[in-house]
Amino acid sequence: MSDFDAIIIGGGAAGGAAAWRLASKGFKVACVERGPWMDPSAYPTTRPDWEVLKRTSMSPVAATRGAAQDYPVDDSASPVAVCNFNAVGGSTILYSGHFPRFRPDDFRLASTEGLAQDWPLSYADLRPYFDLNEEMMSVAGLAGDPCYPDIENLLPPVPLGATGERLARAFNAKGWHWWPSYAAISTRERRGRAACINLGPCNTGCPQGAKSSADNTYLARAKTLSLVVFDETAASHLLVEAGRVTGVCVTGKDRVRTTLRSQRVILAASAIGTPRLLLNTRSEDHPRGLGNNQDQVGRNLMIHPLGYVEGVFPEPLDTDVGPQGCMLYSLEHYRSPDAAHRLGYMMHALRGTGPLETAQSAYGRRKLRFGANLYEDFAAFWRKQAVISIICEDLPDPANRVELDATRTDAQGDPGVRIHYALSENTRKMMAHGMGKARELFLAAGARQTYAYGPVRNTGWHVMGSARMGADPSSSVVDPRGKVHGVEGLYVVDSSVFVTSSCVNPANTIQAVALYLADAIAGEAAHVG
C-alpha cells in the first residue's frame, strides 16, 4: 500500500514547483529533502561577519561548506567547481535571483545551428508555464525587451542605480542590446512577503524574504494543501519491484533508515544528485543503475563556464547598493556569426563585492599595501568596482559526466560523486571573445582599469543535462514526459533532463519544465486511474 500518491526527492527549484503543481491537483505529495528548513533571521547578512560565513558555513561549494547534510563531491578534475546547497529551498536559498527565460532557438539547436539535439518540447509548449512560474515567483522586470517580447505582468524592476545607468549608457554608445534584469525578487510587498530593501548580498540568503526561493513560494503554498516535507532526510536508493518503482529508502533526522512507499517517485535532486540516486540503485535487472542500460546516466553534463571582467572606476559609484546579481544584462552576443566560436554568451552585469572581498582582491593583485597607504589603497577599489560576467553556452559532451565515488561516502554511508568536466575549445574561444567585449564596454563606460580572467572556479551553479530527455532510449535517460526509460512510475523533472544549456541563467526554465512535466505526470495518472 502506498503512503503517498507521489514522492519527490529534492526540495529545490524543480522539486518545489512540481510539489505545488501536483498538490494543487489533489495528489498527496511527500517531498524528501536532505537539508533543513532555513531560518532567514539567521542568514549571514544579519551579522557583521557575513563575508566570513559566505565563505564557510554558507559557501555554495559543498567541499568548503562540509555540512552534515552534504554528500561528497569530487570536482578536482574540473576547472569549474560544482555549487549547490542542500536545504528546503535548495540552491534557490543562495542564488542571485537572476531570472531570464531560455529563448525559442535554445530548444532547437540541431535544426537552427546543426549542433547537439533538439529538445522533444518547444518554447511554445513551455510558454504558459513560464507565465505561471513568473507569477508564482513574483518576478520583477520591465516589459518590452526585444529579446523577450512576450514577457508581461511583471513587478517593477530592480533599480539600475548609478552603476547600472553608467553601464547602460556605455551599451547604448556601443549600439548593443541591454535590458534591466528579470529578477525573482519582490520589489513591492506581495503575499505577505516584504519588499526588497536593496541590501545587496542576495547570494547569502535573503533575511528580508523578498527574494523568491522555493521554500517561501511553492513549498509554502503546497504545505497549505497536501504536501508533507521530510526535511533533514536523505534518500539512499529507490525501491523497484517487477519493473516498477515502489518507494524510496531514506534516513531521517533520527538517523533511522526506513522506507517511504509510492507508485510514483519523482527525482528533483539536481543534475548532480539525480544521477547519483539513479546510479546508486542497482539490482540484477539494473546492474549499472536505473535508466542506465545504455550508459547514459550522468553523461552530457553542462555547467555554463563563466568569464569574469572587472572594471574599476575613478570615482565612487553605488556598487554596494542593490541586489548584486540583478542589475542589467545583454544578449548582444547570443549569436556571433563572424566570431571564431559557435553559439554565444550572455553579458551579465554585477554590482561590486563586500569590503572584505574587495580588500582581499586588491591584496591578491598587489594593490593593497599595509601601513600608511592601506586606506588610500582600499579606497581606490571600494565602491568603484563593477563586474560583467560572461556566461558561456555549454554544448553536451558524453565525456563530461557524473559518476559514483565509492571512496568517499556521506553520513548515511552512501557513495559521493566524482565530476569529469573539461572546457571545449569552442568555449575557450567564446569566453575570450566575451571578455574582450566586456573590456570594450568598461572602457566606453569610463573605467580606469579592467581585470579579466576565466573560467572562474567557484561558479558551477548552472548544472544541467546528466539525465537528458529524448524519445530514443539509446541516447537519453527519460522520455519527453519525464519518465525514466524502462522503469514504470519513475520520473525526473529537474535540470538533469535538459538537452542543451542556452547561455542564460536556467532557474526560470528549470521551474517551467518542472511544471510542464508535473502536468504530464498528473495526466498520465488520471489516464491510468
Side-chain angles (χ1 to χ4, degrees), residues 198-473:
N198 287 320
L199 181 63
C202 309
N203 50 8
T204 59
C206 178
Q208 182 77 356
K211 185 179 75 173
S212 299
S213 48
D215 58 331
N216 66 15
T217 55
Y218 281 111
L219 291 170
R221 294 183 69 175
K223 280 190 69 182
T224 67
L225 302 171
S226 64
L227 177 67
V228 178
V229 177
F230 292 89
D231 65 317
E232 297 181 67
T233 300
S236 294
H237 59 271
L238 310 179
L239 304 175
V240 179
E241 299 173 10
R244 182 177 188 91
V245 71
T246 59
V248 186
C249 181
V250 302
T251 302
K253 296 179 184 180
D254 56 6
R255 299 186 181 181
V256 174
R257 186 161 285 201
T258 187
T259 298
L260 298 177
R261 293 281 180 178
S262 177
Q263 295 295 300
R264 296 177 196 88
V265 174
I266 300 167
L267 302 185
S270 87
I272 307 300
T274 286
R276 177 175 180 257
L277 276 168
L278 290 171
L279 293 171
N280 199 42
T281 304
R282 302 187 181 195
S283 66
E284 289 185 6
D285 293 332
H286 304 278
R288 296 199 290 186
L290 296 180
N292 201 32
N293 290 344
Q294 303 295 325
D295 191 26
Q296 290 296 302
V297 173
R299 293 193 181 275
N300 300 296
L301 176 68
M302 298 171 283
I303 291 185
H304 275 177
L306 187 144
Y308 182 97
V309 183
E310 179 183 309
V312 182
F313 291 85
E315 72 281 358
L317 296 170
D318 59 353
T319 62
D320 60 328
V321 177
Q324 186 181 21
C326 292
M327 181 167 52
L328 61 83
Y329 79 100
S330 170
L331 284 176
E332 178 68 26
H333 305 287
Y334 170 78
R335 295 288 182 266
S336 300
D338 298 328
H341 61 268
R342 303 291 301 274
L343 304 178
Y345 52 86
M346 178 172 72
M347 301 176 78
H348 182 196
L350 310 174
R351 292 179 171 87
T353 57
L356 176 59
E357 193 170 338
T358 297
Q360 289 178 318
S361 175
Y363 181 73
R365 293 169 181 157
R366 300 185 179 182
K367 299 292 184 180
L368 188 70
R369 296 165 292 176
F370 289 97
N373 300 107
L374 178 63
Y375 291 104
E376 179 183 352
D377 288 354
F378 176 72
F381 288 89
W382 172 237
R383 299 185 65 229
K384 297 177 180 178
Q385 303 163 292
V387 170
I388 293 176
S389 62
I390 306 301
I391 301 179
C392 297
E393 179 157 4
D394 203 8
L395 283 166
D397 181 342
N400 291 335
R401 67 183 302 191
V402 180
E403 66 176 7
L404 293 182
D405 180 6
T407 66
R408 298 194 302 163
T409 59
D410 63 11
Q412 292 74 41
D414 294 308
V417 295
R418 184 179 295 112
I419 308 299
H420 299 275
Y421 181 82
L423 258 63
S424 69
E425 187 60 27
N426 187 67
T427 298
R428 294 182 189 278
K429 291 177 180 178
M430 185 189 304
M431 189 177 295
H433 186 275
M435 291 192 293
K437 293 298 182 182
R439 280 185 139 152
E440 284 183 35
L441 191 283
F442 273 130
L443 291 176
R448 63 176 172 81
Q449 200 164 10
T450 62
Y451 299 90
Y453 62 93
V456 185
R457 177 154 177 79
N458 290 348
T459 58
W461 290 101
H462 304 166
V463 288
M464 299 163 276
S466 55
R468 68 178 175 184
M469 66 165 62
D472 183 357

